[in-house]
Amino acid sequence: GAGVSQTPSNKVTEKGKYVELRCDPISGHTALYWYRQSLGQGPEFLIYFQGTGAADDSGLPNDRFFAVRPEGSVSTLKIQRTERGDSAVYLCASSSGLGRNEQFFGPGTRLTVL
Amino acid sequence: AQTVTQSQPEMSVQEAETVTLSCTYDTSESDYYLFWYKQPPSRQMILVIRQEAYKQQNATENRFSVNFQKAAKSFSLKISDSQLGDAAMYFCAYRFNQGGKLIFGQGTELSVKP
């Protein structure tokens, strides 16, 4: 595809439910990042993958959040026992490497927990 | 820990005029990158301009330029000949050269008056 895609674009769920958010990076990009953007704030880093492995997961807020990238391409962010405070836009980005390489962002998934 | 601060929640500029958005950051590292991203209502983050910390020369991209003051840890964005399409949220971001994650400021909402 031409850019990073994320599905779904919007997700509404009830408190306590489990959700999965998907990210399809730009083909060939080895690095993939997840960020969370609360209303009126800048994005906050959650986790990034280099290939299949999580190179840095220091931004995951607690053990309810988990992310995988089993084949080094598509990634899924998983949130268990959702809470109202998890409501935010979840952004995914990919890049061809580290250093000066640009991170290309997807349009995000807006998660609303009722 | 690295931090990025944008002290102007909102800015306004007349079409065709020039506006400067401010950003300060804090880091103990000497090798890093700084970025300005634009986020329109579509939520898609778009890279506007990037600056390598080891370069003394300020980066320029068409109507966009930066004033990088490394000692003062300041990184402002100047938009010349402002256009209606420049209206958006602007985020300043930092990345350590050997790391992957971006650290964002709180954002500045720019409006352009016709």
Side-chain angles (χ1 to χ4, degrees), chain A residues 27-40:
Chain A
S27 178
H29 278 190
T30 57
L32 184 147
Y33 310 81
W34 285 99
Y35 296 87
R36 178 169 71 174
Q37 186 175 20
S38 300
L39 190 63

Side-chain angles (χ1 to χ4, degrees), chain A residues 10-81:
Chain A
N10 290 282
K11 175 72 176 178
V12 180
T13 191
E14 294 178 343
K15 180 175 178 295
K17 299 290 188 182
Y18 168 84
V19 296
E20 289 189 351
L21 311 180
R22 177 188 169 105
C23 173
D24 280 85
I26 292 172
S27 178
H29 278 190
T30 57
L32 184 147
Y33 310 81
W34 285 99
Y35 296 87
R36 178 169 71 174
Q37 186 175 20
S38 300
L39 190 63
Q41 302 294 317
E44 293 179 305
F45 169 77
L46 295 175
I47 184 171
Y48 98 87
F49 292 87
Q50 186 63 38
T52 60
D56 182 356
D57 65 357
S58 62
L60 294 177
N62 52 59
D63 61 5
R64 295 186 298 105
F65 289 75
F66 190 71
V68 296
R69 195 186 185 200
E71 298 178 357
S73 179
V74 171
S75 177
T76 305
L77 179 65
K78 307 180 180 191
I79 311 175
Q80 297 177 324
R81 305 183 304 279

Side-chain angles (χ1 to χ4, degrees), chain B residues 4-62:
Chain B
V4 177
T5 302
Q6 294 177 249
S7 58
Q8 306 155 315
E10 298 176 349
M11 290 286 283
S12 180
V13 64
Q14 204 73 30
E15 194 176 7
E17 297 294 311
T18 296
V19 65
T20 298
L21 308 184
S22 301
C23 172
T24 58
Y25 60 95
D26 189 23
T27 183
S28 58
E29 304 294 342
S30 60
D31 191 12
Y32 52 87
Y33 295 88
L34 296 165
F35 306 83
W36 279 98
Y37 279 88
K38 172 184 178 181
Q39 187 179 42
S42 67
R43 300 198 305 242
Q44 189 97 33
M45 283 281 203
I46 302 164
L47 179 64
V48 174
I49 197 165
R50 116 185 78 205
Q51 174 80 42
E52 289 92 336
Y54 67 86
K55 289 187 177 178
Q56 292 187 335
Q57 186 173 7
N58 289 323
T60 299
E61 290 285 345
N62 300 314

